[in-house]
Amino acid sequence: MFFQTIADNIADWGPRLLAGLRLTFSVTAGGFCLAFMLALLIEFLRTRRHAAVRFIARLYIASARGVPILVILYLLYFALPGAGITLSAVAAGTIGLAAVYAAYLAEVFRAGLHAVPAGQREAALSSGMSPLQAFRLVLLPQAVRHTIAPLLINLVSLLKDSSICALIAVPELTLVSRELMSESFLPLHVFALTALLYFGLAWPASLVARALEQRLHQQGQRDSGRGKRPVVEVAAVG
Amino acid sequence: MSDALPGLIVEAFFAGALVTVKVTAGALAVALAIGMTLAAATVLTNSRMLQTAIRIYVEALRNVPSLTFLFLLYYGLASLGLRLSSMVAAIVGLGLIGGAITVDIFRSGFRSIPVGQSEAATSIGLTPFAAFRLIVLPQGLRQALPSIGNYAVALVKDTSLVAAIAAPEIMFNARQLVNETFQTGLIYGSVALVYLVLTGAVAQVMSLVERRLETR
């Protein structure tokens, strides 16, 4: 009966849910790309020598992590027009998500760089590389390995949090499903279907992220040779 | 009107913050209870079926947006005749989502205690359950605490979502106040500050607890 009702309505619901899904996609993708670039900027600022610059970067991260996304979206969408800046709902949603996730991704980047032993940089510098070369050729390739899984996990979180954009009237998947609910009075069917769509997108990414994490963890154990091998072959990593 | 505004804001925020704290505390209690029970059960029993059931629960709730799940719980169950109040739906919904997060935290906490310890405990005559309760649990909880703290902070922020199912917490009250006064910048700006204070307080309490346990 449950599936019969869904089958009866899918001709109407399907195209509209897909339209919502498309917007969910673009908000997620746009938000993630923007967050990625912002995070690089924040991480760059945080490693500068000026204490004031570092403080600003840290303040940004602390406030972006301490305030709910919903509040930030409301500020961007409802309060900014008061200051003369009017954003469309989609723009406000994308920018808001990016602003929050930039703080998270900055932490990911930092953790990635910290995961590379300090000796690597010292060895690169002492073998005659410039600091930039050491960063580009030695540190970055190793740091990237440690950031891919957390980046993917953050992407999944961002996808889930894009549903919050429904509350500032971005017609993405969750808002579409709420509209369908109020038309059809079939909340259970509509939201179960919506949940399934989100799950279909998020779960594979979560699985890949976990597999990557596990592999890295095993590699880490092998590299540090817990108890079995002496730690000598640092250069063979990769 | 403008004279009364600060008073109105304080009043609405205080009532809202109370509900936010209630929802946070309730959901945290539910999440910790679920997480700890399931994690203990997996460590103690090794039953394949239980592992699979927990895996399904965790994957299902961690890959669906909280908002969608809250709607499903609040509106979906009502259509089946089970009408939850918005507060109950908020606490149960966030608690169930949280359980899926904390079960993994507790499990890796328990797993981080070397097997040799519980083997040693059982070999001197403790039952497996006693070994778990006296040896693994206290150490595992300490391991899990930093991640639980992070989760608690995230939970405070997630309670803002329950405004969408009409639970009268800070965000909900703020929105109503905006509808009456149109002071969007002032009100939502203050909301942000209130949340910063709340999340900061939770983080502080958690790190205090952590330090307290470390020194012992």
Side-chain angles (χ1 to χ4, degrees), chain B residues 25-207:
Chain B
L28 190 64
V30 173
L32 291 181
I34 294 177
M36 214 181 305
T37 312
L38 293 185
T42 46
V43 173
L44 280 172
T45 62
N46 261 340
S47 141
R48 259 257 172 286
M49 240 183 43
L50 187 71
Q51 307 267 18
T52 315
I54 291 175
R55 201 71 261 159
I56 292 172
Y57 163 64
V58 169
E59 297 292 343
L61 286 192
R62 288 189 86 164
N63 288 299
V64 165
S66 308
L67 195 57
T68 312
F69 186 68
L70 286 174
F71 283 159
L72 193 60
L73 207 66
Y74 186 62
Y75 297 113
L77 286 187
S79 76
L80 289 179
L82 183 60
R83 188 169 284 282
L84 301 177
S85 78
S86 50
M87 279 298 276
V88 173
I91 290 175
V92 171
L94 291 177
L96 282 172
I97 295 169
I101 296 166
T102 54
V103 65
D104 274 344
I105 297 175
F106 283 129
R107 196 157 40 178
S108 59
F110 296 153
R111 292 253 161 90
S112 72
I113 310 306
V115 191
Q117 292 203 14
S118 38
E119 283 171 359
T122 44
S123 75
I124 58 166
L126 264 63
T127 64
F129 182 71
F132 175 77
R133 193 170 61 84
L134 298 171
I135 311 290
V136 177
L137 188 67
Q139 300 183 75
L141 287 185
R142 215 172 302 166
Q143 292 285 331
L145 210 56
S147 303
I148 294 294
N150 285 342
Y151 160 68
V153 170
L155 177 63
V156 174
K157 293 190 286 170
D158 275 352
T159 58
S160 65
L161 297 181
V162 305
I165 55 168
E169 45 70 79
I170 302 175
M171 221 31 212
F172 186 82
N173 285 357
R175 213 165 47 185
Q176 282 198 322
L177 208 54
V178 165
N179 289 342
E180 291 161 19
T181 63
F182 306 107
Q183 296 287 335
T184 46
L186 177 65
I187 292 174
Y188 291 139
S190 325
V191 169
L193 283 181
V194 172
Y195 273 110
L196 268 180
V197 170
L198 282 178
T199 50
V202 169
Q204 210 63 51
V205 167
M206 286 319 253
S207 69

Side-chain angles (χ1 to χ4, degrees), chain A residues 21-237:
Chain A
L21 199 60
R22 208 168 303 140
L23 204 54
T24 289
F25 252 135
S26 53
V27 169
T28 304
F32 193 75
C33 292
L34 205 59
F36 193 93
M37 291 185 284
L38 255 175
L40 287 178
L41 178 70
I42 294 170
E43 196 40 40
F44 177 75
L45 292 180
R46 194 160 52 171
T47 48
R48 288 312 89 189
R49 205 158 285 164
H50 290 287
V53 175
R54 282 204 310 264
F55 177 73
I56 290 172
R58 273 214 304 274
L59 188 69
Y60 180 86
I61 291 176
S63 33
R65 294 178 68 170
V67 177
I69 293 176
L70 183 60
V71 176
I72 290 171
L73 295 188
Y74 268 37
L75 278 171
L76 286 175
Y77 187 60
F78 294 118
L80 264 193
I85 305 167
T86 308
L87 295 172
S88 74
V90 175
T94 310
I95 293 172
L97 287 171
V100 172
Y101 273 86
Y104 291 109
L105 296 191
E107 298 282 276
V108 170
F109 292 148
R110 185 166 72 149
L113 279 175
H114 271 261
V116 183
Q120 297 268 326
R121 188 184 135 84
E122 286 158 17
L125 290 180
S126 71
S127 67
M129 288 186 187
S130 71
L132 191 69
Q133 276 178 325
F135 178 77
R136 196 166 56 86
L137 298 172
V138 178
L139 299 182
L140 193 62
Q142 297 186 68
V144 164
R145 241 178 26 154
H146 288 273
T147 54
I148 290 177
L151 280 180
L152 210 54
I153 290 169
N154 274 290
L155 180 61
V156 172
S157 299
L158 179 53
L159 169 74
K160 290 194 293 171
D161 282 344
S162 72
S163 65
I164 301 172
C165 295
L167 302 180
I168 55 164
V170 176
E172 46 69 79
L173 190 52
T174 299
L175 189 63
V176 169
S177 62
R178 215 164 59 163
E179 284 167 10
L180 293 179
M181 173 198 83
S182 47
E183 285 170 23
S184 66
F185 301 108
L186 293 168
L188 195 64
H189 301 73
V190 172
F191 288 126
L193 202 59
T194 307
L196 203 65
L197 285 174
Y198 276 113
F199 184 80
L201 289 176
W203 193 47
S206 300
L207 286 183
V208 172
R210 192 156 338 114
L212 281 174
E213 230 171 23
Q214 235 151 36
R215 221 184 61 176
L216 206 61
H217 186 65
Q218 281 163 1
Q219 255 174 16
Q221 280 189 341
R222 214 175 45 222
D223 290 346
S224 64
R226 253 183 213 176
K228 285 189 178 164
R229 288 187 303 187
V231 193
V232 279
E233 37 188 308
V234 186
V237 177

